[in-house]
Amino acid sequence: MSTISRRGALTGLAAAAAALVQRRTSAMTTASQPATAVAFPVPADACDCHTHVFGDAREFPMAPGRTYTPEPASAAELTRLHRALHLARVVIVQPSVYGTDNACTIHALRQLGGRARGVAVIDERTTEASLDEMHGAGVRGIRVNLATVGQTDPTIGRQRLRIAIERAKKRGWHIQVYTQPSVIAALAADVREAGVPVVFDHFGGAQAADGTGGPGFDALVRLVASAHAYVKLSAPYRSSTQAPDYSDLTPLARALIAANPRRVLWGTDWPHPNSSPPPDRKITDVTKLFAIDDGRVLNQLAVWSPDAAERTLTLVDNPARLYGF
């Protein structure tokens, strides 16, 4: 066989091997990637302020008391998502399935390095040494997740908020709360007196169906307007009934931005876990991730916030201030 023929054969084998690796990688990939190109100039150092990472269950076992079991979604997949969206920074939020074991989130933060920050979930057993370690890895906040477990009692929410505030104050961290507008209204005085930044996930849990955001949404708007709270324009599919563009959220998003553009953040909620699987499924049954086109979702930000300078506040300046980039 000639040198040229051997070279051609080797090239063909290499191409076949690469194709096989690509097919295997695609088969293992479960989390959605953008199908739509971003249609506006994304500013440098833009941040996705709400993501999760789900690791191999053998290395990062999930909590027995979780409400669902998601498919895996890796930091490598997350990086590919952000490359497509032209996003440079990311915040990884501890998901409920791991309880207070933040090992998977910390591992992802260390993989991504200085462009990543984290939000942890803790309890009274979490030691100061553990918090020091988390801070070194990039954690800058504590999550109080009321919504996933269906907790709507303001008394319990207030208790959990106050405990988290005391731990956060020592480190200059913030508190991130996932709940609904009626609970936000009941906790408004506590938020105003918190002494640390408070962030509400996913439009504050507002629902867009009637165009008002529901009872308590006005309290969220007032907290944002007075700079006592941040709000994430994230996971619109959890608040809207009008996929894929979520046009019914436009008045809510614009109301929050108009209230105070310096207290608005944006996030994907990638990899879009389904935290409410059908009741006939066991907790240990793997629930598929939602297929969301995050390119199309990011384009909605330009509809909600047409002014480029205002979008830079949402995507760059506000996250830099809150997370310490």
Side-chain angles (χ1 to χ4, degrees):
M1 182 183 291
S2 70
T3 300
I4 294 176
S5 298
R6 285 197 299 273
R7 187 180 297 123
L10 289 172
T11 300
L13 286 171
L20 178 60
V21 169
Q22 179 64 40
R23 286 197 298 271
R24 286 177 175 171
T25 301
S26 298
M28 291 187 292
T29 298
T30 55
S32 59
Q33 293 291 329
T36 302
V38 181
F40 65 92
V42 178
D45 295 328
C47 184
D48 179 349
C49 293
H50 199 104
T51 68
H52 309 288
V53 170
F54 300 111
D56 187 319
R58 293 167 295 186
E59 184 176 3
F60 301 108
M62 297 180 189
R66 66 189 181 277
T67 60
Y68 68 103
T69 299
E71 297 175 288
S74 69
E77 291 177 90
L78 180 59
T79 297
R80 185 155 68 96
L81 171 92
H82 289 153
R83 191 177 297 121
L85 297 177
H86 312 296
L87 300 174
R89 294 169 173 170
V90 61
V91 177
I92 302 175
V93 177
Q94 170 79 347
S96 65
V97 297
Y98 290 119
T100 59
D101 181 354
N102 294 272
C104 185
T105 295
I106 298 300
H107 179 70
L109 290 174
R110 287 176 172 152
Q111 284 182 291
L112 297 176
R115 76 181 192 89
R117 295 290 186 267
V119 179
V121 173
I122 68 171
D123 61 16
E124 68 280 357
R125 295 168 296 179
T126 306
T127 65
E128 293 298 310
S130 294
L131 294 178
D132 289 340
E133 182 182 2
M134 291 181 198
H135 190 91
V139 169
R140 294 296 182 268
I142 297 171
R143 191 185 200 198
V144 176
N145 185 342
L146 304 175
T148 299
V149 296
Q151 180 55 257
T152 59
D153 184 344
T155 301
I156 294 175
R158 182 173 295 110
Q159 181 182 30
R160 291 186 57 187
L161 180 63
R162 287 176 175 173
I163 291 171
I165 288 169
E166 288 307 309
R167 304 298 296 271
K169 276 182 178 178
K170 301 175 183 178
R171 289 175 167 75
W173 288 5
H174 69 276
I175 306 299
Q176 178 180 311
V177 183
Y178 184 22
T179 187
Q180 62 189 44
S182 60
V183 177
I184 293 173
L187 299 179
D190 301 89
V191 173
R192 287 193 295 270
E193 297 168 5
V196 300
V198 176
V199 183
F200 290 107
D201 292 350
H202 309 334
F203 292 83
Q207 297 301 305
D210 68 354
T212 70
F217 183 74
D218 56 341
L220 172 62
V221 172
R222 287 194 297 271
L223 287 169
V224 171
S226 61
H228 284 106
Y230 288 81
V231 64
K232 291 185 183 181
L233 307 183
S234 55
Y237 57 95
R238 300 191 187 278
S239 297
S240 171
T241 59
Q242 296 182 5
D245 290 322
Y246 315 110
S247 56
D248 53 348
L249 273 174
T250 298
L252 305 189
R254 287 180 174 171
L256 292 166
I257 294 167
N260 191 343
R262 296 185 180 277
R263 288 296 183 270
V264 176
L265 308 163
W266 180 88
T268 57
D269 193 38
W270 187 94
H272 314 298
N274 179 0
S275 56
S276 301
D280 59 336
R281 293 176 65 87
K282 294 183 294 186
I283 296 303
T284 52
D285 290 341
V286 175
T287 302
K288 284 188 173 297
L289 302 167
F290 289 126
I292 303 295
D293 181 355
D294 286 307
R296 192 160 185 164
V297 172
L298 181 52
N299 284 339
Q300 277 303 109
L301 180 60
V303 175
W304 300 334
S305 183
D307 182 74
E310 199 172 66
R311 289 198 302 272
T312 297
L313 288 175
T314 298
L315 291 171
V316 183
D317 299 342
N318 299 344
R321 181 194 322 116
L322 180 65
Y323 301 105
F325 283 110

